[in-house]
PDB file of all heavy atoms in Angstrom:
ATOM      1  N   LYS A  41      30.047   7.671  -7.021  1.00 95.00           N
ATOM      2  CA  LYS A  41      30.755   8.937  -7.261  1.00 95.00           C
ATOM      3  C   LYS A  41      29.810  10.134  -7.206  1.00 95.00           C
ATOM      4  O   LYS A  41      30.256  11.266  -7.208  1.00 95.00           O
ATOM      5  CB  LYS A  41      31.457   8.896  -8.622  1.00 95.00           C
ATOM      6  CG  LYS A  41      32.581   7.883  -8.694  1.00 95.00           C
ATOM      7  CD  LYS A  41      33.175   7.846 -10.092  1.00 95.00           C
ATOM      8  CE  LYS A  41      34.245   6.758 -10.199  1.00 95.00           C
ATOM      9  NZ  LYS A  41      34.759   6.662 -11.575  1.00 95.00           N
ATOM     10  N   GLN A  42      28.513   9.869  -7.167  1.00 94.00           N
ATOM     11  CA  GLN A  42      27.502  10.925  -7.179  1.00 94.00           C
ATOM     12  C   GLN A  42      27.207  11.372  -5.742  1.00 94.00           C
ATOM     13  O   GLN A  42      26.753  10.589  -4.927  1.00 94.00           O
ATOM     14  CB  GLN A  42      26.212  10.428  -7.833  1.00 94.00           C
ATOM     15  CG  GLN A  42      26.398   9.743  -9.166  1.00 94.00           C
ATOM     16  CD  GLN A  42      27.063  10.632 -10.183  1.00 94.00           C
ATOM     17  OE1 GLN A  42      26.687  11.783 -10.355  1.00 94.00           O
ATOM     18  NE2 GLN A  42      28.081  10.108 -10.852  1.00 94.00           N
ATOM     19  N   ASP A  43      27.445  12.636  -5.456  1.00 92.00           N
ATOM     20  CA  ASP A  43      27.240  13.172  -4.102  1.00 92.00           C
ATOM     21  C   ASP A  43      25.783  13.135  -3.645  1.00 92.00           C
ATOM     22  O   ASP A  43      25.516  13.033  -2.454  1.00 92.00           O
ATOM     23  CB  ASP A  43      27.743  14.619  -4.018  1.00 92.00           C
ATOM     24  CG  ASP A  43      29.253  14.716  -4.122  1.00 92.00           C
ATOM     25  OD1 ASP A  43      29.941  13.722  -3.812  1.00 92.00           O
ATOM     26  OD2 ASP A  43      29.749  15.784  -4.528  1.00 92.00           O
ATOM     27  N   MET A  44      24.852  13.240  -4.573  1.00 94.00           N
ATOM     28  CA  MET A  44      23.425  13.285  -4.217  1.00 94.00           C
ATOM     29  C   MET A  44      22.838  11.904  -3.915  1.00 94.00           C
ATOM     30  O   MET A  44      21.700  11.798  -3.483  1.00 94.00           O
ATOM     31  CB  MET A  44      22.610  13.919  -5.350  1.00 94.00           C
ATOM     32  CG  MET A  44      22.788  15.417  -5.469  1.00 94.00           C
ATOM     33  SD  MET A  44      22.211  16.303  -4.004  1.00 94.00           S
ATOM     34  CE  MET A  44      20.474  15.900  -4.014  1.00 94.00           C
ATOM     35  N   ILE A  45      23.621  10.859  -4.141  1.00 95.00           N
ATOM     36  CA  ILE A  45      23.134   9.488  -3.957  1.00 95.00           C
ATOM     37  C   ILE A  45      23.619   8.916  -2.630  1.00 95.00           C
ATOM     38  O   ILE A  45      24.785   9.038  -2.280  1.00 95.00           O
ATOM     39  CB  ILE A  45      23.643   8.566  -5.095  1.00 95.00           C
ATOM     40  CG1 ILE A  45      23.199   9.069  -6.464  1.00 95.00           C
ATOM     41  CG2 ILE A  45      23.271   7.116  -4.849  1.00 95.00           C
ATOM     42  CD1 ILE A  45      21.804   8.728  -6.862  1.00 95.00           C
ATOM     43  N   VAL A  46      22.699   8.279  -1.902  1.00 96.00           N
ATOM     44  CA  VAL A  46      23.054   7.413  -0.784  1.00 96.00           C
ATOM     45  C   VAL A  46      22.642   6.019  -1.238  1.00 96.00           C
ATOM     46  O   VAL A  46      21.484   5.788  -1.591  1.00 96.00           O
ATOM     47  CB  VAL A  46      22.328   7.804   0.519  1.00 96.00           C
ATOM     48  CG1 VAL A  46      22.682   6.838   1.639  1.00 96.00           C
ATOM     49  CG2 VAL A  46      22.662   9.240   0.905  1.00 96.00           C
ATOM     50  N   PHE A  47      23.613   5.118  -1.271  1.00 95.00           N
ATOM     51  CA  PHE A  47      23.397   3.787  -1.835  1.00 95.00           C
ATOM     52  C   PHE A  47      23.359   2.760  -0.710  1.00 95.00           C
ATOM     53  O   PHE A  47      24.341   2.568   0.004  1.00 95.00           O
ATOM     54  CB  PHE A  47      24.515   3.464  -2.827  1.00 95.00           C
ATOM     55  CG  PHE A  47      24.167   2.407  -3.815  1.00 95.00           C
ATOM     56  CD1 PHE A  47      23.596   2.736  -5.037  1.00 95.00           C
ATOM     57  CD2 PHE A  47      24.393   1.069  -3.539  1.00 95.00           C
ATOM     58  CE1 PHE A  47      23.265   1.763  -5.964  1.00 95.00           C
ATOM     59  CE2 PHE A  47      24.064   0.081  -4.458  1.00 95.00           C
ATOM     60  CZ  PHE A  47      23.497   0.435  -5.670  1.00 95.00           C
ATOM     61  N   HIS A  48      22.218   2.104  -0.563  1.00 95.00           N
ATOM     62  CA  HIS A  48      22.010   1.091   0.473  1.00 95.00           C
ATOM     63  C   HIS A  48      22.075  -0.288  -0.182  1.00 95.00           C
ATOM     64  O   HIS A  48      21.382  -0.529  -1.180  1.00 95.00           O
ATOM     65  CB  HIS A  48      20.641   1.262   1.123  1.00 95.00           C
ATOM     66  CG  HIS A  48      20.461   2.586   1.789  1.00 95.00           C
ATOM     67  ND1 HIS A  48      20.694   2.766   3.132  1.00 95.00           N
ATOM     68  CD2 HIS A  48      20.099   3.803   1.302  1.00 95.00           C
ATOM     69  CE1 HIS A  48      20.463   4.034   3.450  1.00 95.00           C
ATOM     70  NE2 HIS A  48      20.097   4.680   2.347  1.00 95.00           N
ATOM     71  N   ILE A  49      22.887  -1.165   0.381  1.00 93.00           N
ATOM     72  CA  ILE A  49      23.018  -2.518  -0.163  1.00 93.00           C
ATOM     73  C   ILE A  49      22.691  -3.531   0.925  1.00 93.00           C
ATOM     74  O   ILE A  49      23.193  -3.452   2.046  1.00 93.00           O
ATOM     75  CB  ILE A  49      24.438  -2.779  -0.713  1.00 93.00           C
ATOM     76  CG1 ILE A  49      24.749  -1.822  -1.856  1.00 93.00           C
ATOM     77  CG2 ILE A  49      24.572  -4.234  -1.170  1.00 93.00           C
ATOM     78  CD1 ILE A  49      26.125  -2.030  -2.479  1.00 93.00           C
ATOM     79  N   TYR A  50      21.852  -4.487   0.548  1.00 93.00           N
ATOM     80  CA  TYR A  50      21.559  -5.659   1.372  1.00 93.00           C
ATOM     81  C   TYR A  50      22.167  -6.842   0.622  1.00 93.00           C
ATOM     82  O   TYR A  50      21.482  -7.503  -0.160  1.00 93.00           O
ATOM     83  CB  TYR A  50      20.049  -5.828   1.556  1.00 93.00           C
ATOM     84  CG  TYR A  50      19.438  -4.738   2.395  1.00 93.00           C
ATOM     85  CD1 TYR A  50      19.127  -3.502   1.840  1.00 93.00           C
ATOM     86  CD2 TYR A  50      19.196  -4.940   3.752  1.00 93.00           C
ATOM     87  CE1 TYR A  50      18.584  -2.479   2.618  1.00 93.00           C
ATOM     88  CE2 TYR A  50      18.650  -3.920   4.533  1.00 93.00           C
ATOM     89  CZ  TYR A  50      18.346  -2.703   3.957  1.00 93.00           C
ATOM     90  OH  TYR A  50      17.817  -1.703   4.726  1.00 93.00           O
ATOM     91  N   PRO A  51      23.470  -7.074   0.818  1.00 87.00           N
ATOM     92  CA  PRO A  51      24.180  -8.053  -0.013  1.00 87.00           C
ATOM     93  C   PRO A  51      24.021  -9.483   0.494  1.00 87.00           C
ATOM     94  O   PRO A  51      23.786  -9.720   1.677  1.00 87.00           O
ATOM     95  CB  PRO A  51      25.635  -7.612   0.120  1.00 87.00           C
ATOM     96  CG  PRO A  51      25.708  -7.067   1.512  1.00 87.00           C
ATOM     97  CD  PRO A  51      24.368  -6.401   1.752  1.00 87.00           C
ATOM     98  N   HIS A  52      24.181 -10.418  -0.454  1.00 79.00           N
ATOM     99  CA  HIS A  52      24.246 -11.831  -0.068  1.00 79.00           C
ATOM    100  C   HIS A  52      25.584 -12.105   0.606  1.00 79.00           C
ATOM    101  O   HIS A  52      25.648 -12.740   1.639  1.00 79.00           O
ATOM    102  CB  HIS A  52      24.105 -12.751  -1.286  1.00 79.00           C
ATOM    103  CG  HIS A  52      22.780 -12.675  -1.954  1.00 79.00           C
ATOM    104  ND1 HIS A  52      21.577 -12.686  -1.274  1.00 79.00           N
ATOM    105  CD2 HIS A  52      22.444 -12.583  -3.253  1.00 79.00           C
ATOM    106  CE1 HIS A  52      20.583 -12.608  -2.113  1.00 79.00           C
ATOM    107  NE2 HIS A  52      21.078 -12.544  -3.332  1.00 79.00           N
ATOM    108  N   ILE A  53      26.649 -11.624  -0.020  1.00 74.00           N
ATOM    109  CA  ILE A  53      28.011 -11.826   0.479  1.00 74.00           C
ATOM    110  C   ILE A  53      28.695 -10.463   0.518  1.00 74.00           C
ATOM    111  O   ILE A  53      29.038  -9.911  -0.520  1.00 74.00           O
ATOM    112  CB  ILE A  53      28.806 -12.793  -0.430  1.00 74.00           C
ATOM    113  CG1 ILE A  53      28.058 -14.122  -0.547  1.00 74.00           C
ATOM    114  CG2 ILE A  53      30.217 -13.001   0.104  1.00 74.00           C
ATOM    115  CD1 ILE A  53      28.613 -15.028  -1.615  1.00 74.00           C
ATOM    116  N   PRO A  54      28.900  -9.896   1.709  1.00 67.00           N
ATOM    117  CA  PRO A  54      29.437  -8.544   1.794  1.00 67.00           C
ATOM    118  C   PRO A  54      30.927  -8.412   1.461  1.00 67.00           C
ATOM    119  O   PRO A  54      31.416  -7.313   1.265  1.00 67.00           O
ATOM    120  CB  PRO A  54      29.177  -8.145   3.252  1.00 67.00           C
ATOM    121  CG  PRO A  54      28.947  -9.403   3.981  1.00 67.00           C
ATOM    122  CD  PRO A  54      28.476 -10.424   2.992  1.00 67.00           C
ATOM    123  N   SER A  55      31.667  -9.501   1.358  1.00 64.00           N
ATOM    124  CA  SER A  55      33.120  -9.416   1.174  1.00 64.00           C
ATOM    125  C   SER A  55      33.529  -8.662  -0.094  1.00 64.00           C
ATOM    126  O   SER A  55      34.553  -7.998  -0.115  1.00 64.00           O
ATOM    127  CB  SER A  55      33.747 -10.806   1.179  1.00 64.00           C
ATOM    128  OG  SER A  55      33.239 -11.562   0.098  1.00 64.00           O
ATOM    129  N   LEU A  56      32.755  -8.755  -1.165  1.00 67.00           N
ATOM    130  CA  LEU A  56      33.103  -8.050  -2.395  1.00 67.00           C
ATOM    131  C   LEU A  56      32.995  -6.539  -2.252  1.00 67.00           C
ATOM    132  O   LEU A  56      33.480  -5.790  -3.081  1.00 67.00           O
ATOM    133  CB  LEU A  56      32.210  -8.504  -3.548  1.00 67.00           C
ATOM    134  CG  LEU A  56      32.512  -9.861  -4.139  1.00 67.00           C
ATOM    135  CD1 LEU A  56      31.477 -10.219  -5.190  1.00 67.00           C
ATOM    136  CD2 LEU A  56      33.905  -9.894  -4.745  1.00 67.00           C
ATOM    137  N   LEU A  57      32.368  -6.084  -1.191  1.00 74.00           N
ATOM    138  CA  LEU A  57      32.168  -4.654  -0.998  1.00 74.00           C
ATOM    139  C   LEU A  57      33.328  -3.988  -0.271  1.00 74.00           C
ATOM    140  O   LEU A  57      33.328  -2.773  -0.101  1.00 74.00           O
ATOM    141  CB  LEU A  57      30.864  -4.419  -0.233  1.00 74.00           C
ATOM    142  CG  LEU A  57      29.614  -4.886  -0.973  1.00 74.00           C
ATOM    143  CD1 LEU A  57      28.413  -4.826  -0.060  1.00 74.00           C
ATOM    144  CD2 LEU A  57      29.398  -4.057  -2.209  1.00 74.00           C
ATOM    145  N   ASP A  58      34.317  -4.762   0.149  1.00 76.00           N
ATOM    146  CA  ASP A  58      35.444  -4.202   0.893  1.00 76.00           C
ATOM    147  C   ASP A  58      36.112  -3.051   0.162  1.00 76.00           C
ATOM    148  O   ASP A  58      36.511  -2.063   0.783  1.00 76.00           O
ATOM    149  CB  ASP A  58      36.470  -5.281   1.221  1.00 76.00           C
ATOM    150  CG  ASP A  58      35.975  -6.233   2.301  1.00 76.00           C
ATOM    151  OD1 ASP A  58      35.013  -5.871   3.017  1.00 76.00           O
ATOM    152  OD2 ASP A  58      36.545  -7.330   2.429  1.00 76.00           O
TER     153      ASP A  58
END
Side-chain angles (χ1 to χ4, degrees):
K41 294 177 184 176
Q42 311 301 313
D43 291 336
M44 287 297 297
I45 302 279
V46 178
F47 201 91
H48 299 265
I49 298 181
Y50 292 81
H52 295 315
I53 303 169
S55 62
L56 285 175
L57 297 171
D58 288 342

